[in-house]
Short mmCIF file of all heavy atoms in Angstrom, two decimals:
data_model
loop_
_atom_site.label_atom_id
_atom_site.label_comp_id
_atom_site.label_asym_id
_atom_site.label_seq_id
_atom_site.Cartn_x
_atom_site.Cartn_y
_atom_site.Cartn_z
N MET A 1 -23.33 -100.16 81.27
CA MET A 1 -21.95 -100.55 81.31
C MET A 1 -21.87 -102.04 81.05
O MET A 1 -22.72 -102.80 81.48
CB MET A 1 -21.35 -100.20 82.67
CG MET A 1 -19.92 -100.63 82.79
SD MET A 1 -18.98 -100.02 84.19
CE MET A 1 -20.09 -99.83 85.50
N THR A 2 -20.83 -102.42 80.35
CA THR A 2 -20.63 -103.84 80.08
C THR A 2 -19.28 -104.29 80.64
O THR A 2 -18.34 -103.50 80.73
CB THR A 2 -20.63 -104.13 78.56
OG1 THR A 2 -19.59 -103.39 77.96
CG2 THR A 2 -21.96 -103.77 77.94
N ILE A 3 -19.22 -105.54 81.02
CA ILE A 3 -17.97 -106.14 81.48
C ILE A 3 -17.77 -107.41 80.68
O ILE A 3 -18.62 -108.29 80.68
CB ILE A 3 -18.01 -106.46 82.99
CG1 ILE A 3 -18.27 -105.20 83.81
CG2 ILE A 3 -16.72 -107.13 83.43
CD1 ILE A 3 -18.46 -105.44 85.29
N ASP A 4 -16.65 -107.50 79.97
CA ASP A 4 -16.41 -108.71 79.21
C ASP A 4 -15.70 -109.75 80.07
O ASP A 4 -15.36 -109.49 81.22
CB ASP A 4 -15.66 -108.43 77.91
CG ASP A 4 -14.23 -107.97 78.13
OD1 ASP A 4 -13.71 -108.09 79.24
OD2 ASP A 4 -13.63 -107.47 77.16
N LEU A 5 -15.45 -110.91 79.53
CA LEU A 5 -14.85 -112.00 80.28
C LEU A 5 -13.41 -111.72 80.68
O LEU A 5 -12.87 -112.36 81.58
CB LEU A 5 -14.93 -113.30 79.48
CG LEU A 5 -16.34 -113.79 79.17
CD1 LEU A 5 -16.29 -115.03 78.29
CD2 LEU A 5 -17.08 -114.09 80.47
N HIS A 6 -12.76 -110.76 80.04
CA HIS A 6 -11.37 -110.44 80.34
C HIS A 6 -11.26 -109.33 81.37
O HIS A 6 -10.17 -108.85 81.65
CB HIS A 6 -10.63 -110.03 79.06
CG HIS A 6 -10.69 -111.10 78.01
ND1 HIS A 6 -10.03 -112.30 78.14
CD2 HIS A 6 -11.35 -111.16 76.84
CE1 HIS A 6 -10.27 -113.05 77.08
NE2 HIS A 6 -11.08 -112.38 76.27
N GLY A 7 -12.38 -108.88 81.92
CA GLY A 7 -12.36 -107.87 82.97
C GLY A 7 -12.40 -106.43 82.47
O GLY A 7 -12.32 -105.51 83.26
N SER A 8 -12.53 -106.22 81.17
CA SER A 8 -12.61 -104.86 80.64
C SER A 8 -13.97 -104.26 80.98
O SER A 8 -14.98 -104.95 80.98
CB SER A 8 -12.44 -104.85 79.13
OG SER A 8 -11.16 -105.31 78.79
N VAL A 9 -13.96 -102.99 81.27
CA VAL A 9 -15.19 -102.29 81.61
C VAL A 9 -15.35 -101.14 80.62
O VAL A 9 -14.39 -100.46 80.29
CB VAL A 9 -15.12 -101.72 83.05
CG1 VAL A 9 -16.37 -100.94 83.37
CG2 VAL A 9 -14.90 -102.84 84.05
N GLY A 10 -16.57 -100.91 80.17
CA GLY A 10 -16.82 -99.79 79.25
C GLY A 10 -18.28 -99.66 78.95
O GLY A 10 -19.10 -100.48 79.35
N ALA A 11 -18.60 -98.60 78.26
CA ALA A 11 -19.98 -98.37 77.85
C ALA A 11 -20.34 -99.30 76.70
O ALA A 11 -19.49 -99.68 75.91
CB ALA A 11 -20.15 -96.91 77.42
N SER A 12 -21.60 -99.66 76.65
CA SER A 12 -22.03 -100.49 75.53
C SER A 12 -21.94 -99.68 74.24
O SER A 12 -21.93 -98.46 74.24
CB SER A 12 -23.46 -100.98 75.74
OG SER A 12 -24.36 -99.91 75.62
N SER A 13 -21.87 -100.37 73.12
CA SER A 13 -21.71 -99.67 71.85
C SER A 13 -22.90 -98.76 71.56
O SER A 13 -22.75 -97.71 70.94
CB SER A 13 -21.49 -100.66 70.71
OG SER A 13 -22.60 -101.52 70.60
N SER A 14 -24.09 -99.14 72.00
CA SER A 14 -25.26 -98.28 71.75
C SER A 14 -25.17 -96.99 72.56
O SER A 14 -25.56 -95.93 72.08
CB SER A 14 -26.56 -99.02 72.07
OG SER A 14 -26.65 -99.29 73.45
N LEU A 15 -24.62 -97.06 73.78
CA LEU A 15 -24.45 -95.84 74.56
C LEU A 15 -23.39 -94.94 73.95
O LEU A 15 -23.54 -93.72 73.91
CB LEU A 15 -24.05 -96.17 76.01
CG LEU A 15 -25.13 -96.79 76.88
CD1 LEU A 15 -24.57 -97.16 78.24
CD2 LEU A 15 -26.31 -95.84 77.03
N ARG A 16 -22.32 -95.53 73.42
CA ARG A 16 -21.29 -94.73 72.76
C ARG A 16 -21.88 -94.03 71.54
O ARG A 16 -21.59 -92.88 71.27
CB ARG A 16 -20.11 -95.60 72.35
CG ARG A 16 -19.17 -95.90 73.49
CD ARG A 16 -17.93 -96.58 72.96
NE ARG A 16 -18.25 -97.88 72.42
CZ ARG A 16 -17.79 -99.03 72.90
NH1 ARG A 16 -16.95 -99.03 73.90
NH2 ARG A 16 -18.13 -100.16 72.36
N GLN A 17 -22.70 -94.74 70.78
CA GLN A 17 -23.32 -94.16 69.59
C GLN A 17 -24.26 -93.04 69.99
O GLN A 17 -24.29 -91.99 69.35
CB GLN A 17 -24.07 -95.24 68.80
CG GLN A 17 -24.61 -94.75 67.48
CD GLN A 17 -23.52 -94.23 66.55
OE1 GLN A 17 -22.40 -94.74 66.53
NE2 GLN A 17 -23.82 -93.19 65.80
N ASP A 18 -25.05 -93.24 71.06
CA ASP A 18 -25.95 -92.18 71.53
C ASP A 18 -25.15 -90.95 71.93
O ASP A 18 -25.54 -89.82 71.66
CB ASP A 18 -26.78 -92.67 72.71
CG ASP A 18 -27.81 -93.70 72.31
OD1 ASP A 18 -28.08 -93.85 71.10
OD2 ASP A 18 -28.34 -94.38 73.20
N TRP A 19 -24.01 -91.16 72.60
CA TRP A 19 -23.16 -90.06 73.06
C TRP A 19 -22.66 -89.26 71.86
O TRP A 19 -22.68 -88.04 71.86
CB TRP A 19 -21.99 -90.63 73.85
CG TRP A 19 -21.07 -89.60 74.41
CD1 TRP A 19 -19.86 -89.24 73.89
CD2 TRP A 19 -21.27 -88.81 75.57
NE1 TRP A 19 -19.29 -88.26 74.66
CE2 TRP A 19 -20.13 -87.98 75.70
CE3 TRP A 19 -22.28 -88.70 76.51
CZ2 TRP A 19 -19.99 -87.07 76.74
CZ3 TRP A 19 -22.13 -87.80 77.54
CH2 TRP A 19 -21.00 -86.99 77.65
N LYS A 20 -22.22 -89.96 70.83
CA LYS A 20 -21.69 -89.29 69.64
C LYS A 20 -22.77 -88.54 68.87
O LYS A 20 -22.49 -87.57 68.18
CB LYS A 20 -21.02 -90.30 68.71
CG LYS A 20 -19.72 -90.84 69.27
CD LYS A 20 -19.13 -91.86 68.32
CE LYS A 20 -17.85 -92.44 68.89
NZ LYS A 20 -17.28 -93.46 68.00
N SER A 21 -24.01 -88.99 68.98
CA SER A 21 -25.08 -88.37 68.20
C SER A 21 -25.76 -87.20 68.92
O SER A 21 -26.69 -86.62 68.38
CB SER A 21 -26.13 -89.43 67.85
OG SER A 21 -26.79 -89.89 69.01
N LEU A 22 -25.28 -86.85 70.11
CA LEU A 22 -25.85 -85.69 70.80
C LEU A 22 -25.57 -84.42 69.99
O LEU A 22 -24.54 -84.32 69.32
CB LEU A 22 -25.24 -85.56 72.20
CG LEU A 22 -25.68 -86.59 73.22
CD1 LEU A 22 -24.88 -86.44 74.51
CD2 LEU A 22 -27.16 -86.48 73.51
N PRO A 23 -26.45 -83.44 70.08
CA PRO A 23 -26.27 -82.19 69.31
C PRO A 23 -25.24 -81.27 69.99
O PRO A 23 -25.58 -80.28 70.63
CB PRO A 23 -27.68 -81.58 69.31
CG PRO A 23 -28.28 -82.07 70.59
CD PRO A 23 -27.72 -83.46 70.78
N TRP A 24 -23.96 -81.60 69.85
CA TRP A 24 -22.91 -80.90 70.57
C TRP A 24 -22.85 -79.42 70.25
O TRP A 24 -22.54 -78.61 71.13
CB TRP A 24 -21.55 -81.58 70.33
CG TRP A 24 -21.51 -82.91 71.01
CD1 TRP A 24 -21.56 -84.14 70.42
CD2 TRP A 24 -21.49 -83.16 72.42
NE1 TRP A 24 -21.55 -85.14 71.38
CE2 TRP A 24 -21.50 -84.56 72.61
CE3 TRP A 24 -21.45 -82.34 73.54
CZ2 TRP A 24 -21.47 -85.14 73.87
CZ3 TRP A 24 -21.43 -82.92 74.79
CH2 TRP A 24 -21.44 -84.30 74.95
N ASP A 25 -23.14 -79.03 69.02
CA ASP A 25 -23.13 -77.61 68.69
C ASP A 25 -24.18 -76.85 69.49
O ASP A 25 -23.91 -75.76 70.01
CB ASP A 25 -23.38 -77.39 67.20
CG ASP A 25 -22.19 -77.80 66.34
OD1 ASP A 25 -21.07 -77.88 66.91
OD2 ASP A 25 -22.37 -78.04 65.15
N LYS A 26 -25.36 -77.42 69.61
CA LYS A 26 -26.43 -76.78 70.39
C LYS A 26 -26.10 -76.75 71.87
O LYS A 26 -26.40 -75.78 72.57
CB LYS A 26 -27.76 -77.49 70.15
CG LYS A 26 -28.33 -77.22 68.79
CD LYS A 26 -29.70 -77.81 68.63
CE LYS A 26 -30.23 -77.52 67.24
NZ LYS A 26 -31.62 -77.92 67.08
N ILE A 27 -25.48 -77.82 72.36
CA ILE A 27 -25.10 -77.88 73.78
C ILE A 27 -24.07 -76.79 74.08
O ILE A 27 -24.21 -76.05 75.06
CB ILE A 27 -24.56 -79.29 74.12
CG1 ILE A 27 -25.71 -80.30 74.07
CG2 ILE A 27 -23.87 -79.30 75.47
CD1 ILE A 27 -25.27 -81.75 74.12
N ARG A 28 -23.05 -76.66 73.23
CA ARG A 28 -22.04 -75.61 73.41
C ARG A 28 -22.68 -74.22 73.33
O ARG A 28 -22.32 -73.31 74.09
CB ARG A 28 -20.96 -75.72 72.34
CG ARG A 28 -19.98 -76.82 72.58
CD ARG A 28 -18.85 -76.80 71.56
NE ARG A 28 -18.09 -78.03 71.62
CZ ARG A 28 -18.34 -79.12 70.91
NH1 ARG A 28 -19.33 -79.13 70.03
NH2 ARG A 28 -17.61 -80.20 71.04
N GLN A 29 -23.63 -74.08 72.42
CA GLN A 29 -24.31 -72.79 72.25
C GLN A 29 -25.10 -72.41 73.51
O GLN A 29 -25.06 -71.25 73.93
CB GLN A 29 -25.25 -72.90 71.04
CG GLN A 29 -25.81 -71.61 70.55
CD GLN A 29 -26.63 -71.82 69.28
OE1 GLN A 29 -27.25 -72.86 69.08
NE2 GLN A 29 -26.62 -70.82 68.41
N ARG A 30 -25.79 -73.37 74.11
CA ARG A 30 -26.56 -73.10 75.33
C ARG A 30 -25.64 -72.65 76.47
O ARG A 30 -25.94 -71.69 77.18
CB ARG A 30 -27.33 -74.34 75.77
CG ARG A 30 -28.53 -74.64 74.93
CD ARG A 30 -29.29 -75.82 75.50
NE ARG A 30 -30.12 -76.40 74.47
CZ ARG A 30 -30.12 -77.68 74.14
NH1 ARG A 30 -29.35 -78.54 74.78
NH2 ARG A 30 -30.89 -78.12 73.17
N VAL A 31 -24.53 -73.37 76.63
CA VAL A 31 -23.58 -73.04 77.71
C VAL A 31 -22.97 -71.67 77.45
O VAL A 31 -22.88 -70.83 78.35
CB VAL A 31 -22.50 -74.13 77.84
CG1 VAL A 31 -21.40 -73.71 78.78
CG2 VAL A 31 -23.14 -75.44 78.30
N ARG A 32 -22.56 -71.42 76.23
CA ARG A 32 -21.94 -70.13 75.88
C ARG A 32 -22.91 -68.98 76.11
O ARG A 32 -22.53 -67.92 76.61
CB ARG A 32 -21.50 -70.16 74.40
CG ARG A 32 -20.83 -68.91 73.94
CD ARG A 32 -19.47 -68.78 74.55
NE ARG A 32 -18.80 -67.63 73.96
CZ ARG A 32 -17.80 -67.02 74.52
NH1 ARG A 32 -17.30 -67.46 75.64
NH2 ARG A 32 -17.25 -65.99 73.94
N ARG A 33 -24.18 -69.20 75.77
CA ARG A 33 -25.19 -68.14 75.97
C ARG A 33 -25.35 -67.81 77.45
O ARG A 33 -25.40 -66.63 77.83
CB ARG A 33 -26.53 -68.58 75.39
CG ARG A 33 -27.59 -67.50 75.48
CD ARG A 33 -28.83 -67.88 74.67
NE ARG A 33 -29.79 -66.81 74.74
CZ ARG A 33 -30.78 -66.73 75.64
NH1 ARG A 33 -30.94 -67.69 76.53
NH2 ARG A 33 -31.61 -65.71 75.63
N LEU A 34 -25.38 -68.83 78.30
CA LEU A 34 -25.47 -68.58 79.74
C LEU A 34 -24.23 -67.85 80.24
O LEU A 34 -24.33 -66.93 81.06
CB LEU A 34 -25.65 -69.89 80.50
CG LEU A 34 -27.08 -70.37 80.71
CD1 LEU A 34 -27.09 -71.77 81.28
CD2 LEU A 34 -27.82 -69.42 81.63
N GLN A 35 -23.06 -68.24 79.75
CA GLN A 35 -21.83 -67.57 80.16
C GLN A 35 -21.85 -66.10 79.76
O GLN A 35 -21.43 -65.23 80.54
CB GLN A 35 -20.62 -68.27 79.54
CG GLN A 35 -20.35 -69.64 80.11
CD GLN A 35 -19.30 -70.40 79.34
OE1 GLN A 35 -19.12 -70.20 78.13
NE2 GLN A 35 -18.60 -71.28 80.03
N MET A 36 -22.34 -65.82 78.58
CA MET A 36 -22.43 -64.44 78.11
C MET A 36 -23.42 -63.63 78.96
O MET A 36 -23.17 -62.46 79.27
CB MET A 36 -22.82 -64.39 76.63
CG MET A 36 -21.80 -65.00 75.70
SD MET A 36 -20.19 -64.22 75.77
CE MET A 36 -20.53 -62.70 74.95
N ARG A 37 -24.52 -64.26 79.33
CA ARG A 37 -25.50 -63.58 80.18
C ARG A 37 -24.91 -63.27 81.56
O ARG A 37 -25.19 -62.22 82.14
CB ARG A 37 -26.77 -64.42 80.32
CG ARG A 37 -27.57 -64.47 79.02
CD ARG A 37 -28.80 -65.35 79.17
NE ARG A 37 -29.73 -64.79 80.16
CZ ARG A 37 -30.72 -65.47 80.72
NH1 ARG A 37 -30.93 -66.74 80.40
NH2 ARG A 37 -31.51 -64.90 81.59
N ILE A 38 -24.10 -64.19 82.08
CA ILE A 38 -23.44 -63.96 83.37
C ILE A 38 -22.48 -62.78 83.26
O ILE A 38 -22.48 -61.89 84.12
CB ILE A 38 -22.71 -65.24 83.84
CG1 ILE A 38 -23.72 -66.33 84.19
CG2 ILE A 38 -21.79 -64.94 85.03
CD1 ILE A 38 -23.11 -67.73 84.33
N ALA A 39 -21.66 -62.77 82.21
CA ALA A 39 -20.71 -61.68 82.01
C ALA A 39 -21.43 -60.34 81.88
O ALA A 39 -20.99 -59.33 82.46
CB ALA A 39 -19.86 -61.96 80.78
N LYS A 40 -22.52 -60.33 81.16
CA LYS A 40 -23.29 -59.09 80.98
C LYS A 40 -23.87 -58.60 82.30
O LYS A 40 -23.81 -57.41 82.62
CB LYS A 40 -24.41 -59.32 79.97
CG LYS A 40 -25.23 -58.09 79.67
CD LYS A 40 -26.33 -58.37 78.67
CE LYS A 40 -27.21 -57.14 78.49
NZ LYS A 40 -28.37 -57.42 77.65
N ALA A 41 -24.40 -59.52 83.10
CA ALA A 41 -24.97 -59.15 84.40
C ALA A 41 -23.90 -58.58 85.32
O ALA A 41 -24.13 -57.58 86.02
CB ALA A 41 -25.64 -60.37 85.04
N ILE A 42 -22.70 -59.15 85.31
CA ILE A 42 -21.61 -58.65 86.14
C ILE A 42 -21.18 -57.27 85.66
O ILE A 42 -20.96 -56.35 86.46
CB ILE A 42 -20.43 -59.64 86.17
CG1 ILE A 42 -20.85 -60.90 86.94
CG2 ILE A 42 -19.19 -59.01 86.77
CD1 ILE A 42 -19.88 -62.04 86.85
N LYS A 43 -21.08 -57.10 84.35
CA LYS A 43 -20.69 -55.81 83.78
C LYS A 43 -21.69 -54.72 84.18
O LYS A 43 -21.30 -53.58 84.45
CB LYS A 43 -20.62 -55.92 82.26
CG LYS A 43 -20.10 -54.68 81.58
CD LYS A 43 -19.98 -54.90 80.08
CE LYS A 43 -19.49 -53.63 79.41
NZ LYS A 43 -19.36 -53.82 77.96
N GLU A 44 -22.96 -55.10 84.26
CA GLU A 44 -24.02 -54.16 84.64
C GLU A 44 -24.19 -54.09 86.16
O GLU A 44 -25.11 -53.44 86.65
CB GLU A 44 -25.33 -54.57 83.99
CG GLU A 44 -25.31 -54.46 82.47
CD GLU A 44 -26.55 -55.05 81.81
OE1 GLU A 44 -27.40 -55.67 82.50
OE2 GLU A 44 -26.66 -54.91 80.58
N LYS A 45 -23.31 -54.75 86.90
CA LYS A 45 -23.32 -54.78 88.38
C LYS A 45 -24.62 -55.35 88.93
O LYS A 45 -25.08 -54.94 89.99
CB LYS A 45 -23.01 -53.40 88.94
CG LYS A 45 -21.63 -52.93 88.54
CD LYS A 45 -21.28 -51.60 89.13
CE LYS A 45 -19.88 -51.24 88.65
NZ LYS A 45 -19.43 -49.96 89.07
N ARG A 46 -25.18 -56.29 88.21
CA ARG A 46 -26.40 -56.99 88.66
C ARG A 46 -25.95 -58.33 89.25
O ARG A 46 -26.12 -59.38 88.65
CB ARG A 46 -27.35 -57.18 87.49
CG ARG A 46 -27.81 -55.85 86.89
CD ARG A 46 -28.77 -56.05 85.75
NE ARG A 46 -29.99 -56.67 86.25
CZ ARG A 46 -30.88 -57.29 85.47
NH1 ARG A 46 -30.70 -57.34 84.17
NH2 ARG A 46 -31.96 -57.83 85.99
N TYR A 47 -25.36 -58.26 90.43
CA TYR A 47 -24.72 -59.42 91.04
C TYR A 47 -25.71 -60.51 91.44
O TYR A 47 -25.38 -61.69 91.35
CB TYR A 47 -23.85 -58.98 92.21
CG TYR A 47 -22.80 -57.98 91.79
CD1 TYR A 47 -22.81 -56.67 92.28
CD2 TYR A 47 -21.82 -58.33 90.88
CE1 TYR A 47 -21.86 -55.75 91.88
CE2 TYR A 47 -20.86 -57.42 90.46
CZ TYR A 47 -20.88 -56.13 90.96
OH TYR A 47 -19.94 -55.22 90.55
N GLY A 48 -26.89 -60.12 91.85
CA GLY A 48 -27.91 -61.12 92.18
C GLY A 48 -28.33 -61.92 90.94
O GLY A 48 -28.47 -63.14 91.00
N LYS A 49 -28.49 -61.21 89.85
CA LYS A 49 -28.83 -61.86 88.58
C LYS A 49 -27.69 -62.78 88.14
O LYS A 49 -27.93 -63.91 87.70
CB LYS A 49 -29.09 -60.79 87.51
CG LYS A 49 -29.47 -61.34 86.16
CD LYS A 49 -30.85 -61.96 86.20
CE LYS A 49 -31.35 -62.26 84.81
NZ LYS A 49 -32.71 -62.79 84.85
N ALA A 50 -26.46 -62.31 88.27
CA ALA A 50 -25.29 -63.12 87.89
C ALA A 50 -25.24 -64.39 88.74
O ALA A 50 -24.97 -65.48 88.22
CB ALA A 50 -24.01 -62.31 88.05
N GLN A 51 -25.49 -64.26 90.01
CA GLN A 51 -25.47 -65.42 90.90
C GLN A 51 -26.56 -66.42 90.51
O GLN A 51 -26.33 -67.63 90.50
CB GLN A 51 -25.65 -64.98 92.35
CG GLN A 51 -25.46 -66.10 93.34
CD GLN A 51 -25.52 -65.61 94.78
OE1 GLN A 51 -25.95 -64.48 95.06
NE2 GLN A 51 -25.08 -66.44 95.68
N ALA A 52 -27.74 -65.93 90.18
CA ALA A 52 -28.83 -66.81 89.76
C ALA A 52 -28.47 -67.53 88.47
O ALA A 52 -28.71 -68.74 88.33
CB ALA A 52 -30.12 -66.00 89.59
N LEU A 53 -27.87 -66.81 87.54
CA LEU A 53 -27.46 -67.43 86.27
C LEU A 53 -26.34 -68.45 86.48
O LEU A 53 -26.30 -69.48 85.81
CB LEU A 53 -27.03 -66.35 85.27
CG LEU A 53 -28.15 -65.46 84.74
CD1 LEU A 53 -27.58 -64.25 84.01
CD2 LEU A 53 -29.09 -66.25 83.84
N GLN A 54 -25.43 -68.16 87.40
CA GLN A 54 -24.36 -69.12 87.71
C GLN A 54 -24.95 -70.41 88.26
O GLN A 54 -24.49 -71.50 87.93
CB GLN A 54 -23.38 -68.52 88.71
CG GLN A 54 -22.48 -67.48 88.10
CD GLN A 54 -21.66 -66.75 89.14
OE1 GLN A 54 -21.96 -66.75 90.33
NE2 GLN A 54 -20.60 -66.10 88.69
N TRP A 55 -25.97 -70.28 89.10
CA TRP A 55 -26.62 -71.48 89.65
C TRP A 55 -27.24 -72.29 88.52
O TRP A 55 -27.09 -73.51 88.45
CB TRP A 55 -27.69 -71.10 90.68
CG TRP A 55 -28.23 -72.29 91.40
CD1 TRP A 55 -27.79 -72.79 92.59
CD2 TRP A 55 -29.29 -73.16 90.97
NE1 TRP A 55 -28.51 -73.91 92.91
CE2 TRP A 55 -29.43 -74.16 91.95
CE3 TRP A 55 -30.11 -73.19 89.86
CZ2 TRP A 55 -30.38 -75.18 91.84
CZ3 TRP A 55 -31.06 -74.20 89.76
CH2 TRP A 55 -31.18 -75.17 90.75
N ILE A 56 -27.92 -71.60 87.61
CA ILE A 56 -28.54 -72.27 86.46
C ILE A 56 -27.47 -72.99 85.64
O ILE A 56 -27.65 -74.15 85.25
CB ILE A 56 -29.34 -71.27 85.60
CG1 ILE A 56 -30.57 -70.78 86.36
CG2 ILE A 56 -29.74 -71.90 84.26
CD1 ILE A 56 -31.28 -69.61 85.69
N LEU A 57 -26.35 -72.31 85.39
CA LEU A 57 -25.29 -72.90 84.60
C LEU A 57 -24.72 -74.14 85.27
O LEU A 57 -24.54 -75.18 84.63
CB LEU A 57 -24.18 -71.88 84.35
CG LEU A 57 -22.97 -72.37 83.56
CD1 LEU A 57 -23.38 -72.80 82.15
CD2 LEU A 57 -21.90 -71.30 83.50
N THR A 58 -24.43 -74.06 86.54
CA THR A 58 -23.80 -75.20 87.23
C THR A 58 -24.75 -76.38 87.40
O THR A 58 -24.30 -77.49 87.64
CB THR A 58 -23.24 -74.79 88.61
OG1 THR A 58 -24.29 -74.25 89.40
CG2 THR A 58 -22.13 -73.78 88.47
N HIS A 59 -26.02 -76.14 87.28
CA HIS A 59 -26.99 -77.22 87.41
C HIS A 59 -27.59 -77.66 86.07
O HIS A 59 -28.43 -78.55 86.03
CB HIS A 59 -28.11 -76.81 88.37
CG HIS A 59 -27.66 -76.74 89.79
ND1 HIS A 59 -26.96 -75.66 90.30
CD2 HIS A 59 -27.75 -77.63 90.81
CE1 HIS A 59 -26.68 -75.89 91.56
NE2 HIS A 59 -27.13 -77.07 91.90
N SER A 60 -27.15 -77.04 84.99
CA SER A 60 -27.73 -77.36 83.69
C SER A 60 -27.18 -78.67 83.14
O SER A 60 -26.00 -79.00 83.30
CB SER A 60 -27.47 -76.24 82.68
OG SER A 60 -26.15 -76.26 82.22
N HIS A 61 -28.03 -79.39 82.49
CA HIS A 61 -27.65 -80.66 81.87
C HIS A 61 -26.62 -80.43 80.78
O HIS A 61 -25.65 -81.19 80.65
CB HIS A 61 -28.90 -81.35 81.32
CG HIS A 61 -28.68 -82.74 80.85
ND1 HIS A 61 -28.31 -83.77 81.69
CD2 HIS A 61 -28.73 -83.28 79.61
CE1 HIS A 61 -28.17 -84.87 80.98
NE2 HIS A 61 -28.41 -84.61 79.72
N SER A 62 -26.79 -79.36 80.02
CA SER A 62 -25.86 -79.04 78.94
C SER A 62 -24.46 -78.80 79.47
O SER A 62 -23.47 -79.29 78.90
CB SER A 62 -26.33 -77.80 78.18
OG SER A 62 -27.52 -78.07 77.49
N ALA A 63 -24.33 -78.06 80.55
CA ALA A 63 -23.00 -77.77 81.12
C ALA A 63 -22.36 -79.05 81.64
O ALA A 63 -21.15 -79.25 81.49
CB ALA A 63 -23.12 -76.74 82.22
N LYS A 64 -23.14 -79.92 82.23
CA LYS A 64 -22.61 -81.18 82.73
C LYS A 64 -22.13 -82.06 81.59
O LYS A 64 -21.05 -82.67 81.66
CB LYS A 64 -23.65 -81.90 83.57
CG LYS A 64 -23.94 -81.20 84.88
CD LYS A 64 -25.07 -81.86 85.63
CE LYS A 64 -25.45 -81.05 86.86
NZ LYS A 64 -26.59 -81.66 87.57
N LEU A 65 -22.91 -82.15 80.54
CA LEU A 65 -22.51 -82.93 79.37
C LEU A 65 -21.21 -82.39 78.78
O LEU A 65 -20.29 -83.15 78.46
CB LEU A 65 -23.60 -82.91 78.30
CG LEU A 65 -24.84 -83.74 78.55
CD1 LEU A 65 -25.90 -83.43 77.50
CD2 LEU A 65 -24.50 -85.22 78.54
N LEU A 66 -21.14 -81.08 78.63
CA LEU A 66 -19.97 -80.46 78.04
C LEU A 66 -18.74 -80.64 78.92
O LEU A 66 -17.64 -80.89 78.42
CB LEU A 66 -20.24 -78.97 77.80
CG LEU A 66 -19.30 -78.25 76.87
CD1 LEU A 66 -19.25 -78.91 75.49
CD2 LEU A 66 -19.72 -76.80 76.73
N ALA A 67 -18.91 -80.57 80.22
CA ALA A 67 -17.79 -80.75 81.14
C ALA A 67 -17.21 -82.16 81.03
O ALA A 67 -15.99 -82.34 81.08
CB ALA A 67 -18.23 -80.47 82.57
N VAL A 68 -18.06 -83.14 80.87
CA VAL A 68 -17.60 -84.51 80.75
C VAL A 68 -16.97 -84.76 79.39
O VAL A 68 -15.98 -85.48 79.26
CB VAL A 68 -18.77 -85.49 81.00
CG1 VAL A 68 -18.37 -86.92 80.68
CG2 VAL A 68 -19.25 -85.39 82.43
N ASN A 69 -17.51 -84.14 78.37
CA ASN A 69 -17.06 -84.37 77.01
C ASN A 69 -15.71 -83.72 76.72
O ASN A 69 -14.92 -84.24 75.96
CB ASN A 69 -18.09 -83.86 76.00
CG ASN A 69 -17.75 -84.26 74.59
OD1 ASN A 69 -17.38 -85.39 74.32
ND2 ASN A 69 -17.88 -83.34 73.67
N GLU A 70 -15.44 -82.57 77.31
CA GLU A 70 -14.23 -81.84 76.93
C GLU A 70 -13.21 -81.79 78.02
O GLU A 70 -13.00 -82.40 78.88
CB GLU A 70 -14.59 -80.43 76.52
CG GLU A 70 -15.46 -80.49 75.29
CD GLU A 70 -15.60 -79.17 74.58
OE1 GLU A 70 -14.99 -78.18 74.99
OE2 GLU A 70 -16.32 -79.15 73.59
#
């Protein structure tokens, strides 16, 4: 984070560039795949499996990135 002399706060330009260059299509694909697996487990009444997948989703780096981005 940078702070200029006028009190503005923001990410450095290199961090913004890194953020933009993340593979967003792959990140969305990973999250969507986990969501589909959760839905399938619930449909098959495999609630323990669904709960385990939900934990993975809520703790995944991809889901966190996507939540902040969108």
Side-chain angles (χ1 to χ4, degrees):
M1 178 168 32
T2 60
I3 301 175
D4 68 13
L5 297 176
H6 303 291
S8 297
V9 178
S12 70
S13 60
S14 66
L15 289 176
R16 280 189 294 243
Q17 187 60 35
D18 290 346
W19 181 259
K20 289 179 182 179
S21 66
L22 288 173
W24 290 108
D25 288 340
K26 288 186 180 187
I27 291 168
R28 284 186 193 90
Q29 192 175 32
R30 285 184 201 127
V31 171
R32 181 72 174 159
R33 184 170 183 266
L34 271 171
Q35 290 171 332
M36 296 300 287
R37 290 178 64 196
I38 292 166
K40 182 180 175 187
I42 291 171
K43 185 177 179 180
E44 294 172 354
K45 298 182 180 177
R46 298 181 65 198
Y47 302 115
K49 181 69 169 183
Q51 187 175 14
L53 291 168
Q54 286 171 341
W55 188 94
I56 292 170
L57 179 62
T58 58
H59 289 80
S60 76
H61 189 65
S62 293
K64 291 174 186 177
L65 286 171
L66 196 57
V68 171
N69 188 45
E70 297 195 3

